[in-house]
Amino acid sequence: MSSERHTSSGIPLKAAYTEDDTKGLPGEDPGKFPFTRGIYPEGYRKIPWIESFASGYGLPEETNEREHYLRTIGHKAFGGLDSVNLVFDRPTFLGYDSDDPAVFPDVGQIGVIVDTIEDLERLFKGFDLAKLNVGFIIDTQAPAMMALYVALADRWGVPRTALNGIICNNPCEAYFVARMRTVPPKAGLRMAADVAKFCIKEAPGFNICRMNGYNVAESGANPVQEAAFALVPAIAIMQEAVDRGLDADKVAARVTFQFAQGRDFFEHICKIRAARRIWANILKERFHVTDDLSCRMKIHMQTAGSTLTAQGPLNNIIRITLQTLGAVLSGTQSVHIASYDEALGLPTEESVRIAVNTSKILKHESGICDVVDPLGGSHFVESLTNSIEDRVRAHINEVEEMGGFIAAVETGHLEKLVVRESYSFQQKMQAKEEVFVGLNEDVVEEEPGRAIFRVNEKGAKVAVERLKEFKRKRNQREVEMAIEAVKEAAAKDTKDVMPLLIEAASRNATIGEMSGALVEVFGEFSPRTILC
């Protein structure tokens, strides 16, 4: 076996690191700019990480039942608020209604079905919206989903200023990570800024977007690319918001990031340390953010689903534990801990409980919370952090030189790099240069009789029948007028669209109708064919 070693991103590794590798590096304190060592001076002593689970499947009332179960086993947000983080089925995520024949086979699969405001009423039954931290894991359809939620709050008499949560609102990854129906990049950035403006003004308890490096990593990017390709669109969204007159400090304070904690334990930790430093400096130098607190990179980590194997699924408990440990050693604010059976299907209640307890055991039985950034000062960690920073900045500079994020999307630059990296990793897997225990090494047969969660097969038909009845009962003329008003606002570049979308939602317009109106005005993005 060769003595040469590299990180997942190809950074050469020495056998040992000494003070010569960190000579001349400035010392940094936790909780101080540029926040390499974490965003709080006392770290987890003051504010431990929270377990922030994403869930959703089938009919709204089925997801509601799972969310109430999560509450019983300790799923909470900061400040003790109830926490609900929602994954949507593919039709909802793409902005289609359940009765569209093109998407019917996917209705209720992978996430929860939401077509109407009545679906949200079913979804949030038993939750007080004023005491709830809700995460809408939806990007290109963020304007329509936020409109539905605000309309629901208005209907239930909950002040908009009392709403808390995050609307992911990051249209950018649709252009180079997961091809889907969406508007062109220029329009996508405009609508992201539109949602940001509304939240800052009327729902200040909402974070306005989450830059999703996790999905970039799950598509095959290495850790350096993951950090870079989360920061590049974050810069674009910040620039769009500032160009449209929003205060840079207020926008920056409400931008969050999501990253993966994957196979390369130390590189993923150092990736986070480098990303915090880069983001803080970009905000200061490029956007002239004045408040250091607004420069803090708030991070949600997720253990990597792509590392879970259907073969020998109990091995995944060990993988997940290591990745959760890495995530918290990086200083994350929240973490989604995968369930060991996710390579087989949606998690069972048993596997979710194990995931929750994995985090709680680390929190209460390891001493991790006693010291801030316990890896800080390690010659290896500090050297690797700097190497990652240099490579991430090189990617960012390359994009800037070609004209920025939109140019990088339109030329296929970002997607090409991710595809190449993914292909390279698969080749290493086949050659066993990368080892997955139970998959390409020490392969084991699946144990018989393991419980697998199944989605209610009748849910899709129920959703379609409900939608038909919903449309039959509503005032169709009011809906048509409201949708026309959305189109008129979208056609004028300086016009705010969110107030019109909220009005449409309150008039019982559907997700598909609101999203369809934007596509009709802006057109649909056509990705470039990628030849590697």
Side-chain angles (χ1 to χ4, degrees):
M1 181 180 292
S2 170
S3 62
E4 293 184 2
R5 296 287 190 275
H6 298 80
T7 69
S8 296
S9 302
I11 299 172
L13 293 174
K14 299 168 62 174
Y17 288 76
T18 69
E19 60 184 11
D20 289 338
D21 296 291
T22 54
K23 190 174 295 183
L25 295 182
E28 294 181 9
D29 294 326
K32 292 186 178 180
F33 187 92
F35 307 105
T36 308
R37 302 192 63 195
I39 66 174
Y40 300 122
E42 296 183 2
Y44 296 140
R45 284 188 171 197
K46 183 175 182 180
I47 306 177
W49 73 87
I50 61 171
E51 296 82 23
S52 183
F53 286 86
S55 63
Y57 60 87
L59 295 168
E61 59 267 34
E62 293 172 325
T63 291
N64 175 273
E65 183 179 351
R66 173 60 67 91
E67 294 296 342
H68 280 289
Y69 171 74
L70 288 173
R71 180 163 63 173
T72 66
I73 61 174
H75 188 217
K76 293 286 185 181
F78 291 110
L81 294 176
D82 284 328
S83 179
V84 172
N85 296 294
L86 298 166
V87 179
F88 299 93
D89 71 344
R90 188 164 178 79
T92 304
F93 196 79
L94 295 178
Y96 290 97
D97 287 333
S98 296
D99 59 357
D100 192 310
V103 297
F104 180 75
D106 292 327
V107 172
Q109 300 297 317
I110 303 177
V112 62
I113 304 162
V114 173
D115 294 314
T116 69
I117 193 170
E118 287 187 356
D119 286 331
L120 283 192
E121 289 183 309
R122 299 180 182 101
L123 185 54
F124 291 109
K125 183 178 180 180
F127 287 98
D128 182 349
L129 301 190
K131 298 178 180 179
L132 178 68
N133 190 87
V134 61
F136 288 112
I137 305 173
I138 195 164
D139 291 311
T140 58
Q141 312 311 324
M145 185 60 68
M146 190 68 191
L148 276 179
Y149 189 63
V150 173
L152 175 66
D154 291 347
R155 181 174 292 187
W156 283 4
V158 179
R160 296 177 180 182
T161 53
L163 300 177
N164 295 282
I166 181 171
I167 183 79
C168 284
N169 188 35
N170 169 20
C172 299
E173 70 178 58
Y175 304 123
F176 70 98
V177 172
R179 293 186 175 184
M180 61 186 73
R181 182 180 82 152
T182 186
V183 298
K186 185 176 180 180
L189 291 173
R190 174 195 167 183
M191 289 308 303
D194 199 306
V195 173
K197 181 177 181 180
F198 169 80
C199 289
I200 289 172
K201 182 180 178 181
E202 298 199 40
F206 256 79
N207 286 321
I208 59 175
C209 72
R210 174 175 287 171
M211 307 312 302
N212 195 335
Y214 175 84
N215 283 358
V216 179
E218 291 290 276
S219 297
N222 63 47
V224 165
Q225 291 173 333
E226 178 194 1
F229 300 163
L231 286 163
V232 164
I235 293 168
I237 289 176
M238 276 292 303
Q239 190 65 60
E240 182 73 17
V242 170
D243 288 347
R244 291 184 175 275
L246 300 186
D247 182 272
D249 279 74
K250 291 181 179 179
V251 176
R254 291 168 175 82
V255 174
T256 70
F257 288 78
Q258 178 178 356
F259 292 109
Q261 180 68 30
R263 284 164 50 87
D264 195 321
F265 185 81
F266 285 103
E267 185 172 30
H268 282 286
I269 292 171
C270 295
K271 167 195 73 183
I272 298 302
R273 302 173 92 253
R276 279 197 292 257
R277 182 190 296 167
I278 294 168
W279 181 237
N281 281 302
I282 286 173
L283 292 177
K284 281 279 189 181
E285 295 166 6
R286 176 165 178 168
F287 296 104
H288 310 295
V289 171
T290 58
D291 187 348
D292 281 359
L293 296 182
S294 295
C295 296
R296 298 180 299 184
M297 177 184 268
K298 292 178 288 184
I299 295 173
H300 170 70
M301 297 288 284
Q302 185 166 345
T303 59
S306 60
T307 67
L308 306 182
T309 62
Q311 299 86 348
L314 292 179
N315 289 337
N316 294 330
I317 296 177
I318 302 168
R319 294 185 176 103
I320 291 163
T321 302
L322 280 172
Q323 291 171 18
T324 305
L325 175 62
V328 299
L329 286 174
S330 75
T332 188
Q333 280 63 68
S334 63
V335 59
H336 170 97
I337 305 99
S339 297
Y340 73 85
D341 55 357
E342 288 189 29
L344 302 171
L346 291 174
T348 62
E349 289 189 356
E350 177 209 40
S351 66
V352 170
R353 181 179 287 275
I354 291 172
V356 172
N357 288 340
T358 297
S359 177
K360 291 187 180 299
I361 288 170
L362 288 173
K363 188 180 296 182
H364 300 297
E365 301 182 26
S366 70
I368 286 175
C369 294
D370 295 340
V371 177
V372 186
D373 187 28
L375 298 182
S378 157
H379 298 310
F380 171 48
V381 168
E382 299 298 351
S383 177
L384 183 54
T385 297
N386 288 345
S387 295
I388 291 172
E389 179 181 6
D390 291 342
R391 286 162 172 77
V392 170
R393 286 189 178 276
H395 277 300
I396 294 173
N397 292 339
E398 185 177 29
V399 170
E400 292 297 315
E401 288 170 3
M402 67 173 54
F405 173 73
I406 292 179
V409 166
E410 292 177 342
T411 59
H413 172 74
L414 301 178
E415 186 174 4
K416 184 181 294 185
L417 292 178
V418 173
V419 169
R420 285 177 177 172
E421 186 67 21
S422 178
Y423 179 68
S424 174
F425 181 78
Q426 292 303 316
Q427 287 184 310
K428 292 176 183 177
M429 280 278 293
Q430 291 177 7
K432 291 191 177 181
E433 295 174 20
E434 292 282 353
V435 174
F436 261 92
V437 176
L439 182 61
N440 66 355
E441 186 79 17
D442 299 316
V443 179
V444 297
E445 296 296 327
E446 170 56 46
E447 302 94 330
R450 183 168 300 284
I452 299 176
F453 184 88
R454 302 294 184 189
V455 175
N456 176 11
E457 295 180 356
K458 298 179 181 179
K461 293 182 179 179
V462 172
V464 171
E465 290 303 315
R466 282 178 175 172
L467 183 56
K468 289 180 179 178
E469 179 64 12
F470 178 84
K471 290 179 177 178
R472 187 188 65 80
K473 293 189 303 182
R474 69 185 183 177
N475 185 320
Q476 189 62 29
R477 177 58 180 160
E478 284 189 355
V479 173
E480 291 171 357
M481 291 175 64
I483 291 296
E484 191 60 34
V486 169
K487 293 178 185 177
E488 291 177 1
K492 299 175 182 178
D493 185 63
T494 58
K495 185 76 171 178
D496 293 340
V497 182
M498 275 303 297
L500 285 307
L501 284 170
I502 295 168
E503 178 64 19
S506 71
R507 299 292 181 181
N508 294 324
T510 66
I511 281 279
E513 289 165 336
M514 289 186 283
S515 296
L518 297 179
V519 171
E520 184 176 331
V521 173
F522 296 132
E524 191 168 343
F525 175 63
S526 298
R528 179 184 290 264
T529 300
I530 300 299
L531 299 175
C532 292

